[in-house]
Amino acid sequence: MDRHMRMEQRLHRLSQEVLRTDVAGMPLEWVDYRVAAILYHTGQVAYACGSPLYRVRGGYNARTGLRSVIEVSSIIATHGEMHAVDRNAAGYVPPLNNRTLFKRDANLCMYCGIVFRTSELTRDHVRPISRGGHDTWTNVVAACKRCNNHKGGRTPEQAGMQLIAVPFMPTYAEYIYLKGRRVLADQMEYLLSHFPRTSPLHARLRDDLARAVALH
Ligand SMILES: [Zn+2]
């Protein structure tokens, strides 16, 4: 492998986000390698699970003159995050945005069932705002432009259209999964274990995991 390729591979690995949890193991957020390194340096990492991702060089030890090396893991449990409890409480409502909404619906148009690129999807209000519908997780679905135009300001019943799945509000752990740009198999498995048993995402993640394993 030449130097350039090694460099590219290293940059690719460094772009992998680390899953941060609280000390009890509840998923909190994605952090990049810089934040992960700071958490290690400041002694906030209680324990690491998952697989080693990369090594980050730290400061020089004044006594020994040696430079410290931190091995960053794909999942790190950290001290001192008090918000985990709130975020994982039953009443927590994750912010609604198209990127996570379309991922919730697996980039399928919830009316015609065809897969679309994110740029080709729109946010459809099942019960239109003009008819008293709200801009909330349980009233919005991914829809292709064609279906959304056809539906117009009508409810699915009025338009003679049928949803292929019931829209749901993700829990915090589900929301973290939806926010992840590139989720590694061990991170996926970890998040999966924090999903409610009834989560519609179970089946999809199992498929993704099987595919990830098959690739190795
Ligand atoms: Zn459609």
Side-chain angles (χ1 to χ4, degrees):
M1 202 187 304
D2 68 17
R3 227 181 119 177
H4 183 69
M5 266 174 79
R6 265 205 303 270
M7 183 90 149
E8 293 245 297
Q9 205 178 46
R10 190 173 142 75
L11 284 175
H12 182 71
R13 285 183 77 81
L14 276 180
S15 71
Q16 176 61 49
E17 290 181 303
V18 172
L19 177 61
R20 178 187 182 188
T21 76
D22 69 5
V23 81
M26 287 306 271
L28 279 180
E29 60 180 349
W30 296 105
V31 295
D32 68 13
Y33 75 95
R34 293 181 200 88
V35 175
I38 291 168
L39 289 168
Y40 273 94
H41 269 302
T42 51
Q44 290 184 71
V45 177
Y47 57 93
C49 37
S51 49
L53 271 186
Y54 32 68
R55 283 153 172 254
V56 178
R57 285 182 205 290
Y60 289 94
N61 183 306
R63 196 169 50 82
T64 62
L66 293 172
R67 199 171 185 190
S68 66
V69 173
I70 294 164
E71 188 138 286
V72 178
S73 183
S74 59
I75 305 165
I76 54 173
T78 55
H79 295 293
E81 177 61 71
M82 300 308 289
H83 305 299
V85 180
D86 306 341
R87 288 184 199 169
N88 287 291
Y92 176 79
V93 179
L96 175 61
N97 55 66
N98 282 354
R99 201 168 74 84
T100 44
L101 169 66
F102 298 162
K103 198 163 166 194
R104 181 199 70 180
D105 293 344
N107 273 64
L108 291 166
C109 167
M110 284 290 114
Y111 295 102
C112 65
I114 296 171
V115 179
F116 288 90
R117 268 197 298 253
T118 300
S119 60
E120 296 169 330
L121 285 168
T122 61
R123 181 190 303 192
D124 173 63
H125 295 90
V126 179
R127 186 188 176 87
I129 301 269
S130 60
R131 295 183 181 269
H134 296 289
D135 191 36
T136 51
W137 283 100
T138 50
N139 190 48
V140 292
V141 291
C144 72
K145 287 169 187 158
R146 193 162 168 267
C147 287
N148 204 338
N149 279 339
H150 177 73
K151 183 170 169 274
R154 299 175 292 177
T155 64
E157 297 79 47
Q158 289 167 334
M161 296 164 88
Q162 213 169 4
L163 283 170
I164 61 167
V166 181
F168 67 97
M169 184 176 78
T171 62
Y172 193 68
E174 289 173 323
Y175 181 66
I176 291 191
Y177 163 71
L178 296 176
K179 263 177 77 175
R181 271 176 300 198
R182 189 153 48 96
V183 184
L184 297 173
D186 59 353
Q187 296 171 330
M188 220 187 280
E189 213 147 3
Y190 192 90
L191 287 170
L192 196 63
S193 69
H194 286 85
F195 288 2
R197 208 170 304 167
T198 52
S199 173
L201 295 174
H202 273 299
R204 202 189 320 155
L205 260 80
R206 291 248 169 268
D207 290 350
D208 286 355
L209 267 175
R211 219 167 303 139
V213 170
L215 281 174
H216 274 86

